[in-house]
Amino acid sequence: LGARYKAQVLETANECMRVQYLLQLQSSDFHSDERLTEWLCPHDIDHVRPEPPETPDWFYSCLQPGDLVELQFADGWWPVTVSVVLDAAVSFEVRSDKPDIFPGLSCTATASSLRPAWQWLGPDGEICWKFALVNCATMCNLLSS
């Protein structure tokens, strides 16, 4: 799975849904006020999901090298790994470990541009959202509100 973007579900049919992304399409030679709309047939429940909960206050102080997080960039959230903690709970070096998603990406990120790599488990059951930190003895499980 690549980046995550905010979208609105317009309609559903069978196992598929038509979504409209909430970002503007722009490039150096293209601009449109129309928003991208497409049909998606998700392979798993985490592919199309509600917006995740707020990041817990303690999250940034627990981050260590090797932890999976998401980086806010170009109107989306991209999967990256913390490689260095520069200033505890404030700034971090992050990198993309997936060759098909931002190959070679390595940058400094502030806490405000990072969030947990939330996993959506669906509305059924006791736990709806979770993330785990590799080097912290904490796993966060939350009910959706």
Side-chain angles (χ1 to χ4, degrees), residues 90-108:
V90 177
S91 63
F92 309 87
E93 283 287 330
V94 296
R95 69 176 186 280
S96 173
D97 290 333
K98 298 184 177 185
D100 55 331
I101 303 169
F102 269 157
L105 169 75
S106 180
C107 68
T108 300

Side-chain angles (χ1 to χ4, degrees), residues 1-5 47 70 77-79 98 100-101:
L1 190 61
R4 296 188 180 277
Y5 294 95
H47 192 108
E70 292 182 344
W77 289 94
W78 298 80
K98 298 184 177 185
D100 55 331
I101 303 169

Side-chain angles (χ1 to χ4, degrees), residues 5-134:
Y5 294 95
K6 287 186 180 182
Q8 177 182 4
V9 176
L10 301 175
E11 65 182 295
T12 60
N14 300 323
E15 301 280 322
C16 299
M17 60 191 74
R18 189 167 69 99
V19 300
Q20 182 177 54
Y21 294 96
L22 302 180
L23 61 115
Q24 296 293 326
L25 301 175
Q26 297 181 40
S27 71
S28 58
D29 53 13
F30 175 79
H31 176 77
S32 173
D33 289 331
E34 292 188 33
R35 297 194 169 154
L36 175 65
T37 301
E38 70 176 342
W39 280 94
L40 297 175
C41 298
H43 300 297
D44 64 57
I45 196 163
D46 195 49
H47 192 108
V48 176
R49 65 187 197 178
E51 192 167 350
E54 293 293 318
T55 300
D57 293 336
W58 51 263
F59 174 75
Y60 302 106
S61 61
C62 281
L63 286 179
Q64 296 293 319
D67 284 329
L68 301 175
V69 295
E70 292 182 344
L71 170 69
Q72 188 174 30
F73 179 77
D75 291 330
W77 289 94
W78 298 80
V80 294
T81 301
V82 173
S83 52
V84 177
V85 175
L86 298 172
D87 187 1
V90 177
S91 63
F92 309 87
E93 283 287 330
V94 296
R95 69 176 186 280
S96 173
D97 290 333
K98 298 184 177 185
D100 55 331
I101 303 169
F102 269 157
L105 169 75
S106 180
C107 68
T108 300
T110 60
S112 63
S113 63
L114 298 176
R115 73 178 185 189
W118 288 106
Q119 181 183 5
W120 171 244
L121 302 176
D124 300 326
E126 205 171 290
I127 298 168
C128 296
W129 289 98
K130 77 173 185 176
F131 70 86
L133 297 174
V134 175

